[in-house]
Amino acid sequence: QPLASLGQRTSDKRLALGYRTLAAVRDEVSAQKRATRPSSQLYLDAAGIGQQDPGVADGVVRTLERAPAPDTTAKERLPGAIVERASMCDSSSARALLLFEAACLYDRVGRARDAALAYEQAGNAVSDFLPVLRGVRRIAGANEQWTAVAALLAHEAEVAADTENRAGALVAAAEIALSKLNEPRAALHHYKRLLELQPSHERGFNRAVALYEKLGDFPGLLDLLQARAAAVDDAGARVDLLRQQAELMRDRLGDVRGAVAARSEEHTSELQSH
């Protein structure tokens, strides 16, 4: 109480902050020793001076987190306090984590716009933090911003460390491009990236073949079949791919010589498989 009183009496903002912060820390430590709840006002009073002190900001966050469950005001103020604390972080990683936490809390209380802003700020701090990318994507999907969703999935595929995560993001981006945006060429681009990542991906290959045929891009389809034939280990599958190449060159591309060469390679592979 004497420390808090000193903080109230002084006109110097730095001293006022210091005395009130000391009072808040003393109260918090004493409350822990007594196993009681610390005063909910001391850190908030110190923050009200507007001096932007990281220790006070941490104290405010702890105070709001410890507020009793019926205190809805504290629950509503907590994400804003975390955003305020994040603004004082020198570490971009720590700032991103705090902003991610704030975004989740905003989302929990139904403040989608504030959540989206916190996610965006977290992404600016660390551009390849997957939970943030997924949070932004989820909000964009809820708002039916499908172009943004597809772009975020493509970005996730570039920055994810796990191959399966990258593949899943590319498949999802392609599905969005087809089902929501009606952009088959964009979908084809995502499937091509998927096959560069996982040449044996069956679903990606079949979807890419169908899209090449739908678009009438037979030279592109030939390149796809040739790349697939070079990537597969199964002799029978390779024979089938060579047969498809020969038929495509003969029927769609008018390349009789190429078709003959593909047929010859097909027969050679068939003999080797036996």
Side-chain angles (χ1 to χ4, degrees), residues 100 119 128-136:
F100 174 64
Y119 277 130
D128 58 353
F129 187 28
L130 288 186
V132 168
L133 290 175
R134 289 169 178 170
V136 175

Side-chain angles (χ1 to χ4, degrees), residues 46-211:
I49 298 173
Q51 291 293 96
Q52 284 215 325
D53 181 270
V56 172
D58 283 332
V60 170
V61 170
R62 290 196 301 272
T63 297
L64 295 174
E65 285 175 338
R66 291 167 176 163
D71 190 348
T72 56
T73 302
K75 183 183 293 185
E76 290 174 358
R77 290 184 63 181
L78 178 58
I82 294 173
V83 170
E84 181 72 15
R85 178 63 183 92
S87 70
M88 304 175 198
C89 280
D90 294 328
S91 164
S92 58
S93 299
R95 188 161 61 253
L97 286 168
L98 285 168
L99 288 165
F100 174 64
E101 181 182 2
C104 292
L105 291 172
Y106 276 134
D107 207 9
R108 193 176 299 169
V109 296
R111 294 169 61 178
R113 181 170 296 180
D114 289 326
L117 180 59
Y119 277 130
E120 182 181 353
Q121 291 174 331
N124 291 336
V126 178
S127 61
D128 58 353
F129 187 28
L130 288 186
V132 168
L133 290 175
R134 289 169 178 170
V136 175
R137 171 162 55 85
R138 193 180 55 74
I139 289 177
N143 293 323
E144 298 186 352
Q145 297 170 329
W146 301 118
T147 301
V149 172
L152 286 162
L153 283 164
H155 182 54
E156 182 178 327
E158 294 301 320
V159 301
D162 182 76
T163 303
E164 291 303 319
N165 283 343
R166 295 177 67 189
L170 287 166
V171 169
E175 294 299 320
I176 291 291
L178 280 176
S179 62
K180 301 296 185 182
L181 300 173
N182 192 28
E183 295 180 354
R185 286 207 173 273
L188 185 55
H189 171 74
H190 296 312
Y191 282 128
K192 286 169 67 177
R193 287 286 297 114
L194 172 63
L195 292 169
E196 289 171 9
L197 180 67
Q198 291 187 353
S200 61
H201 197 288
E202 196 67 29
R203 179 182 177 185
F205 173 72
N206 291 333
R207 292 296 180 89
V209 168
L211 285 169

Side-chain angles (χ1 to χ4, degrees), residues 11 25 32 41 57 70 87 109 123 141 196 234 237 241-242 249 264 269 271 274:
S11 59
V25 172
Q32 290 174 359
Q41 195 60 38
S87 70
V109 296
E196 289 171 9
D234 181 80
L241 288 164
L242 290 167
M249 285 186 280
S264 175
S269 296
L271 289 172
H274 292 301

